[in-house]
Amino acid sequence: MINLVEKNKEYILDVVAQGYEGEGIAKIDNTFPVFVEGALVGEKVKVKIVKSKKSFAYGKLIEIVEESKERCTSECGIYKKCGGCKLQHSTYKEQLKFKHERVKDCISKIGKLDESLVKFPLGMEQPWRYRNKVQLPIGLVNGELKIGFFAPRSHEIIDMESCLIQDEIADKVVELTRSWIIKNNIKPYNIDGQYDESGILRHIMIRRGFTTNEVMVVIVTNGRDLPHKEEFIHLMVNNIHGIKSIIQNINSKPTNVILGLESKTLWGSDTICDYIGQFKYNISPLSFFQVNPIQTEVLYGKTLEYADLSGNETVFDAYCGTGSITLFLSQKAKEVYGVEIIPQAIENANINAKENNVKKTIIFEGTFNYKDDDGSTYQLSEHNKLVIEYTNNGLTDSKYNSYMNETFGSYCMINDVDCTSNHVKLKTTSLGYDTVIDRNNNKITITYNKYMGLGYSASESYKNSIISGYEKEGFTCK
């Protein structure tokens, strides 16, 4: 073990790996890891130690001595401030490679499987302007209006005029909203990073259907009062092409949750619609809908491919939400049962099925204890296939074990976020399911599991725990 690395001391180091959040990992004396934000694999960098622990340290990038050929200049003016994109200083090809390596590392170290199982990510042809939804906080910083994104791990709003991964229409809505607020001196809820109960405006949310070009604008307020709303409506209706819905969402709770439960339609329709493949979906302010519709269609197509349905199977779509994957599966399955615990999502899913004239789906609340009209419980058989689409908090060990006690012919998993190392071990070594389809920031990887690291949150506690977490799993960090 080498001596403790001194704070404020400078080193010239080689970057040998990328960490969980894309930070470079260099090593002192080939053993002591130093995490360096902004550094890329293959670079030689001058680093100043800003924080030192017993078994690792954090360094600030002072100078790039030898630059990677995969380094590029971000076209975004606020890239280094807002924290929304971690790797815009890297080419897109290298970003995909980074994701590939993360999955392989997890599969080999935690799942104890052959890393060759992990296929290379299916990237986008044009990885810009792909998001169909954006939610932006509104606030005052030192008396100046800011509409943009929160800086990493803070309530500081980084002002935004244009975001290169959002749809262009969002930039125009932000511009109009900004002028409306300034003209009428409407007070935001966020003042210098603190909540002010006398403030009115909290967020602006914009959604657009990429196929239909229908636009929804949602203004989130701290109460029912919305001064000068007729002027706001006039601005949007006369300047936003495709505007179909203008909604006020009311959220009076002192919380980080963006949307409240109550929405009022100020103008137009309660919803907009869009398509994924041949299927049409109605989208409300509170609806979950994939933010990258281009890659979502690729993902759903791969779901069908990997499910390998012959037309004789009964498919169970767990955590089905509004039924988007359920409808896709109905194209090749005998019948599809969507399972969901949120009543509003079930209602939306059944409406979507009806509007798309899909008659072989049944979506119900609960788990797998489905009962027919005559009260008989549906019996599972070896011809059934289970599809699980879940988020980090949705699939607990007890739920997963419960599913595995049922008899399914095969399993197909779609994982939206990182999961714990125990989940990886359980799911990659014990269950024998067909395939996991990974969706990371809507750029897709086809693999056995999306688990990318240790399962810690993107926070200081995660960074402080990264080495000890690896040691607990029985292997050395590298």
Side-chain angles (χ1 to χ4, degrees), residues 13 20 44 47 60-61 67 135 143 166 187 189 211 244 253 257 271 295 305 312 315 375 404 414 440 444 456:
L13 303 172
Y20 178 82
K44 186 182 291 292
V47 173
K60 180 180 179 181
L61 180 61
E67 185 176 277
Q135 302 171 127
Q166 309 294 343
K187 188 177 181 180
Y189 181 66
T211 301
K244 185 182 179 184
K253 295 182 179 180
V257 176
T271 62
Q295 290 295 79
E305 177 186 332
N312 296 318
V315 179
M404 294 310 107
I414 303 171
N440 181 31
I444 301 168
Y456 297 105

Side-chain angles (χ1 to χ4, degrees), residues 66-320:
E66 294 180 9
E67 185 176 277
S68 167
K69 64 180 181 179
E70 300 299 336
R71 178 172 289 276
C72 62
T73 301
S74 172
E75 297 181 17
C76 176
I78 61 171
Y79 161 59
K80 293 183 178 180
K81 298 178 181 179
C82 90
C85 304
K86 292 289 187 180
L87 287 171
Q88 279 195 15
H89 58 285
S90 173
T91 62
Y92 184 52
K93 179 183 73 174
E94 192 68 9
Q95 292 178 35
L96 295 178
K97 181 180 177 182
F98 160 67
K99 295 172 185 178
H100 191 215
E101 292 300 321
R102 278 173 57 176
V103 180
K104 289 198 300 181
D105 186 68
C106 161
I107 291 302
S108 61
K109 289 182 177 179
I110 298 176
K112 308 301 182 185
L113 297 172
D114 188 342
E115 67 177 29
S116 66
L117 292 168
V118 183
K119 298 178 175 61
F120 197 78
L122 301 177
M124 301 187 70
E125 292 184 10
Q126 296 293 332
W128 303 104
R129 299 290 187 181
Y130 59 85
R131 289 179 62 93
N132 59 16
K133 172 187 172 184
V134 61
Q135 302 171 127
L136 301 168
I138 302 170
L140 288 179
V141 180
N142 296 324
E144 184 179 353
L145 178 66
K146 304 285 187 180
I147 304 176
F149 298 98
F150 286 122
R153 293 176 290 279
S154 80
H155 284 124
E156 178 190 358
I157 299 175
I158 305 301
D159 205 29
M160 182 213 73
E161 293 183 358
S162 179
C163 178
L164 300 180
I165 64 171
Q166 309 294 343
D167 186 70
E168 289 94 337
I169 205 72
D171 296 344
K172 183 65 175 177
V173 172
V174 170
E175 177 188 344
L176 294 170
T177 302
R178 190 190 307 274
S179 65
W180 169 70
I181 296 171
I182 293 174
K183 176 185 175 183
N184 297 292
N185 195 28
I186 305 173
K187 188 177 181 180
Y189 181 66
N190 186 313
I191 309 293
D192 294 322
Q194 301 296 320
Y195 297 147
D196 187 327
E197 292 185 1
S198 66
I200 296 173
L201 303 178
R202 296 180 65 131
H203 285 78
I204 185 77
M205 182 175 80
I206 304 103
R207 309 186 82 152
R208 185 173 82 88
F210 274 29
T211 301
T212 63
N213 289 317
E214 294 179 357
V215 176
M216 171 185 287
V217 174
V218 180
I219 187 81
V220 185
T221 60
N222 184 38
R224 295 180 176 278
D225 183 35
L226 181 58
H228 307 283
K229 66 181 177 183
E230 294 301 328
E231 182 180 341
F232 181 78
I233 293 169
H234 178 81
L235 277 173
M236 297 300 155
V237 171
N238 287 279
N239 293 281
I240 300 301
H241 177 71
I243 188 74
K244 185 182 179 184
S245 175
I246 302 174
I247 291 174
Q248 177 188 1
N249 178 267
I250 300 164
N251 182 6
S252 300
K253 295 182 179 180
T255 168
N256 291 333
V257 176
I258 294 174
L259 297 177
L261 297 178
E262 182 181 356
S263 295
K264 294 168 51 180
T265 301
L266 303 179
W267 180 91
S269 173
D270 296 339
T271 62
I272 60 173
C273 68
D274 202 9
Y275 286 81
I276 301 176
Q278 70 187 54
F279 296 107
K280 176 183 176 182
Y281 300 92
N282 290 300
I283 307 164
S284 70
L286 296 173
S287 294
F288 171 77
F289 193 72
Q290 298 293 343
V291 297
N292 187 334
I294 297 170
Q295 290 295 79
T296 297
E297 188 167 352
V298 176
L299 171 70
Y300 288 3
K302 283 294 180 181
T303 304
L304 275 178
E305 177 186 332
Y306 276 63
D308 191 26
L309 301 174
S310 66
N312 296 318
E313 299 90 352
T314 296
V315 179
F316 288 82
D317 181 11
Y319 301 87
C320 70

Side-chain angles (χ1 to χ4, degrees), residues 422-462:
N422 286 335
H423 279 150
V424 174
K425 290 178 179 177
L426 174 68
K427 295 164 191 171
T428 56
T429 61
S430 304
L431 302 178
Y433 52 78
D434 285 348
T435 303
V436 171
I437 301 178
D438 161 48
R439 179 173 57 231
N440 181 31
N441 291 330
N442 295 286
K443 298 176 181 67
I444 301 168
T445 305
I446 306 302
T447 178
Y448 267 72
N449 198 287
K450 176 186 180 291
Y451 176 74
M452 296 296 192
L454 299 177
Y456 297 105
S457 61
S459 64
E460 191 66 25
S461 62
Y462 152 72

